[in-house]
Amino acid sequence: MQAESPGDAVSESLAGAATSSPAARSPEEESAHYSARARIEELRHSIRYHNRRYYIEHAPEISDADWDRLFHELKSLEEKHPEFFSQDSPTQKVGAPPEKTTFAVVEHREPMLSLGNVFDGQGLRDWHRRAATLIDRDDFAMVTEPKIDGLAIALVYEEGRLVQAATRGDGRHGEDVTPNIRTIETLPQHLTGSPPARFEVRGEVYVSKSSFKRMNAERERANAEREKEGKLPKPPFANPRNAAAGAVRQKDPSESAKRPLEIAIYQLGWSDGATPGSHWEVLQWLAALGFPTTPDASRQTTLDGTVADCEAWVPRREAWPFDMDGIVVKIDDLGLHRQLGTVGREPRWAVAYKFPPAEATTRLRKIAVNVGRTGSLNPFAILEPVHVGGATVKMATLHNEEDIHRKDIRAGDTVVVRRAGEVIPQVVGPVLSRRKRGARRFHMPKICPSCETPVVRPEGEAMAYCVNTGCPAQRQRGIEHFASRGGMDIEGLGERWITTLLEENLIADAGDLYALAPKQTAIEALPKMGKTSTEKLLAAIEASKRRPLAALVFALGIRHVGAEVADLLTQHFGDMASLAAASEEELAAIDGVGPTIAASVAAWFQAERNRRLIKKLAQAEVQMTARRRASRGGPLAGQQFVVTGRLESMTRNQVEGNLKQLGASIGSRVTKKTAVLIAGEAPGSKLEQAQALDIAIWDEEQLRTFLRQQEAGTTATGSSVP
């Protein structure tokens, strides 16, 4: 069944609304009154449409954050204008009506409600204050649980056996999907212990991030076969939530069984027998019966502790194996649940602490192309600015031409943009139902947009390349990479200043950076530079000479040579001269290198312009020899380090290699023997374990400071703190 678009009927008929106005209402007030009524009906219609797209068709056109904005605008207007109250408003209902033509309809014995939202600590405190006022006490404990982004389900058990599974539907009536839910391997069909004669539990069916990736990879392979047979390809799954919902609502349970569905039980719905008196005890009881309950739930006895727990989840969300869009906070005492009751579609005893949205919808203005340091042509999206993941996003990556064609992304499309943590924003895909006629398929340019050299696309590769090694864009990007944190770590030398130095002919390549000191006066004369900025830049360039050889090899920007390969090469050859003289066969023989990398490294060192660069660097006395890793001794001898989370400037192998070189041992888990935990972004449970054991914790900046001090010889032997 096709859902009616909001554009097809901007608002429902207003004929049934009150037509009379208070006698004292002015023309201006009357106009505002009518505008509010029209906007309320427009919002109701739009939300109903998007509810159907989301809950029934599993093809949402807007992000959760965009839906939240529509819903909260409607709720606010209805509160300001109670004369327009309607029992049929989406603010009074949950989800969407069940699909009667496919599944039998189930009436929920107790309604499946929807949670109200808060978006920060203050919002959570306001919710707590309202609840405390209603029950005349504020000393209640609360339970926090990850809000898994999946499909809500209600499960009825009789005599310990699963007898019914139903979707939430509109909150009162759902779809009977029992055969499909039985295919979930982690869901017990028969319970252990002594459960009540008949009771209901509620949970979330979901697909993990790793399983979702495998599903789309399998679909890509299947599509390749379909194209060979002349069949149209099937679109990739949009997100894990849609993949889970689609699997649960398959007509054939054998199709559901093919999907990697998982389930987490988060609540007791109702029971015909005795059950524990608190939500926290219920979770332990459900786990003892054999249910997989929501992972990492915790009980908080104070409001401050609850707020702190919710806020601590924000940077950790991406480390978890499933999509989550917030934390559910529930009052622990079930007696208080009954006392507080519900308002509209929401319980007063629970609320969702929503994270900053990781996805949003916006318009793709243009698909542009830049040239990377290796000559690769990299398409990217220029977007209508949109707030997502805690930042305003104007551009996003599009990977390559094949990926654009696979997702069918076109300029002018309304697209879904995702920004997870600090990861570069990416375009997930287009909202095809909102595509305008005439949108053209993207094709990679035939000539380099920087130097107009014809581009080539090597056989078997997804990327097209500019083969002109003198291309201005390649030169610019190459120097930016050289100065980056993972490379020579020249603080303050960013894109803007590299552009200026190139335009003023003060440098031609990265080697010329080390000849800038005699040109200090000319640099100081540049706009917005000055004496202090120039001195800081020159000092940073001078300090970079002491960077390890592995960092220099990585900084050279050799194709296929990342930080880990650079570390392998320098530890094997020991110095730049030996590496530069190595044959392709010698390089390929190194474990972890292989023929493709070997050919790339050998070709790079054979190029005359690259040999000149190495000569400049050697003459500038940049570090050209690798320090051998110490098997014994060293300033960190006898100390165990553990590394967790994502680091921006170094790979984990680099970090561990540097620490081993200084004598440290590397542990895989935090124990009492651990001396220091290196904690990057999204550190997970290891950070909490280290805090509980009172173990020293370094962030990335502390680690970099310590390693710099070691390079400069300024840290005392045996020291374990920067």
Side-chain angles (χ1 to χ4, degrees), residues 202-421:
R202 294 174 177 181
E204 201 81 3
V205 178
Y206 65 96
V207 170
S208 70
K209 294 176 183 177
S210 57
S211 295
F212 176 69
K213 288 181 180 178
R214 287 196 299 272
M215 288 174 68
N216 267 339
E218 290 169 2
R219 176 149 287 190
E220 273 195 60
R221 289 192 290 271
N223 280 340
E225 294 301 318
R226 291 177 66 87
E227 288 182 6
K228 289 179 183 178
E229 297 170 4
K231 299 178 181 177
L232 290 174
K234 295 182 179 180
F237 297 102
N239 53 53
R241 192 268 170 197
N242 283 8
V248 169
R249 300 183 74 253
Q250 291 288 319
K251 294 180 180 179
D252 182 357
S254 66
E255 290 299 314
S256 299
K258 296 177 183 177
R259 306 280 180 90
L261 294 175
E262 299 181 53
I263 192 168
I265 304 302
Y266 57 71
Q267 190 174 315
L268 176 67
W270 49 264
S271 173
D272 288 340
T275 57
S278 78
H279 177 63
W280 182 250
E281 291 170 340
V282 164
L283 290 178
Q284 319 310 311
W285 174 69
L286 290 173
L289 291 177
F291 288 108
T293 55
T294 307
D296 217 38
S298 64
R299 185 176 185 271
Q300 311 295 331
T301 57
T302 66
L303 174 58
D304 287 343
T306 304
V307 172
D309 185 71
C310 289
E311 291 175 342
W313 267 101
V314 176
R316 296 168 53 200
R317 63 189 287 194
E318 293 303 324
W320 278 82
F322 46 74
D323 273 355
M324 55 187 294
D325 59 358
I327 298 296
V328 178
V329 180
K330 300 173 183 173
I331 294 175
D332 191 28
D333 188 333
L334 297 182
L336 295 181
H337 289 202
R338 292 185 287 274
Q339 190 175 340
L340 284 165
T342 63
V343 55
R345 65 204 285 276
E346 301 166 1
R348 290 192 178 98
W349 44 266
V351 73
Y353 178 100
K354 296 294 286 288
F355 294 146
E359 289 188 352
T361 50
T362 188
R363 190 174 74 87
L364 194 163
R365 290 176 171 174
K366 179 183 178 183
I367 298 178
V369 176
N370 67 21
V371 183
R373 59 182 172 81
T374 62
S376 61
L377 269 62
N378 308 303
F380 64 97
I382 299 176
L383 308 166
E384 293 279 2
V386 60
H387 196 73
V388 55
T392 299
V393 172
K394 299 178 181 178
M395 292 186 291
T397 182
L398 289 171
H399 300 299
N400 54 55
E401 185 178 29
E402 279 188 0
D403 191 58
I404 294 171
H405 289 173
R406 180 178 63 82
K407 295 176 179 176
D408 193 18
I409 299 169
R410 306 185 186 190
D413 278 349
T414 296
V415 294
V416 177
V417 180
R418 180 173 180 81
R419 181 179 183 269

Side-chain angles (χ1 to χ4, degrees), residues 10-322:
V10 174
S11 66
E12 296 176 345
S13 172
L14 300 175
T19 56
S20 61
S21 302
R25 187 177 289 160
S26 69
E28 292 77 11
E29 290 172 329
E30 178 66 23
S31 176
H33 186 75
Y34 182 85
S35 295
R37 186 173 64 186
R39 179 58 177 161
I40 285 172
E41 293 300 337
E42 180 182 17
L43 286 167
R44 287 172 178 170
H45 182 80
S46 182
I47 291 170
R48 290 188 191 112
Y49 169 77
H50 289 300
N51 280 352
R52 182 168 185 83
R53 295 287 299 182
Y54 184 88
Y55 291 108
I56 302 299
E57 299 175 16
H58 311 303
E61 293 185 355
I62 59 175
S63 67
D64 287 353
D66 292 334
W67 187 93
D68 283 342
R69 281 190 284 272
L70 292 175
F71 185 85
H72 283 284
E73 182 186 353
L74 174 59
K75 192 173 181 181
S76 177
L77 282 171
E78 288 180 340
E79 289 172 354
K80 291 178 182 177
H81 299 276
E83 65 270 26
F84 298 136
F85 173 82
S86 170
Q87 196 65 48
D88 291 333
S89 173
T91 60
Q92 306 302 310
K93 294 180 177 295
V94 174
E99 182 60 72
K100 298 178 182 179
T101 59
T102 306
F103 301 97
V105 175
V106 171
E107 183 174 0
H108 297 299
R109 178 163 149 182
E110 294 288 339
M112 293 187 73
L113 303 174
S114 183
L115 294 174
N117 297 330
V118 298
F119 300 93
D120 53 28
Q122 186 56 53
L124 188 56
R125 292 180 187 278
D126 291 342
W127 166 80
H128 182 274
R129 175 181 47 77
R130 291 192 296 271
T133 300
L134 288 169
I135 58 177
D136 198 26
R137 55 177 288 198
D138 63 0
D139 59 344
F140 46 82
M142 287 163 282
V143 177
T144 56
E145 307 168 43
K147 187 175 181 294
I148 301 174
D149 194 9
L151 181 74
I153 208 81
L155 308 169
V156 176
Y157 282 77
E158 288 183 357
E159 305 298 336
R161 294 176 58 252
L162 175 65
V163 296
Q164 180 181 281
T167 63
R168 180 166 59 179
D170 63 5
R172 295 188 176 276
H173 301 89
E175 299 162 329
D176 188 338
V177 290
T178 309
N180 296 351
I181 293 299
R182 288 188 190 279
T183 67
I184 301 176
E185 293 182 1
T186 55
L187 180 68
Q189 305 294 315
H190 299 83
L191 302 179
T192 59
S194 302
R198 181 177 171 85
F199 72 111
E200 180 199 76
V201 295
R202 294 174 177 181
E204 201 81 3
V205 178
Y206 65 96
V207 170
S208 70
K209 294 176 183 177
S210 57
S211 295
F212 176 69
K213 288 181 180 178
R214 287 196 299 272
M215 288 174 68
N216 267 339
E218 290 169 2
R219 176 149 287 190
E220 273 195 60
R221 289 192 290 271
N223 280 340
E225 294 301 318
R226 291 177 66 87
E227 288 182 6
K228 289 179 183 178
E229 297 170 4
K231 299 178 181 177
L232 290 174
K234 295 182 179 180
F237 297 102
N239 53 53
R241 192 268 170 197
N242 283 8
V248 169
R249 300 183 74 253
Q250 291 288 319
K251 294 180 180 179
D252 182 357
S254 66
E255 290 299 314
S256 299
K258 296 177 183 177
R259 306 280 180 90
L261 294 175
E262 299 181 53
I263 192 168
I265 304 302
Y266 57 71
Q267 190 174 315
L268 176 67
W270 49 264
S271 173
D272 288 340
T275 57
S278 78
H279 177 63
W280 182 250
E281 291 170 340
V282 164
L283 290 178
Q284 319 310 311
W285 174 69
L286 290 173
L289 291 177
F291 288 108
T293 55
T294 307
D296 217 38
S298 64
R299 185 176 185 271
Q300 311 295 331
T301 57
T302 66
L303 174 58
D304 287 343
T306 304
V307 172
D309 185 71
C310 289
E311 291 175 342
W313 267 101
V314 176
R316 296 168 53 200
R317 63 189 287 194
E318 293 303 324
W320 278 82
F322 46 74

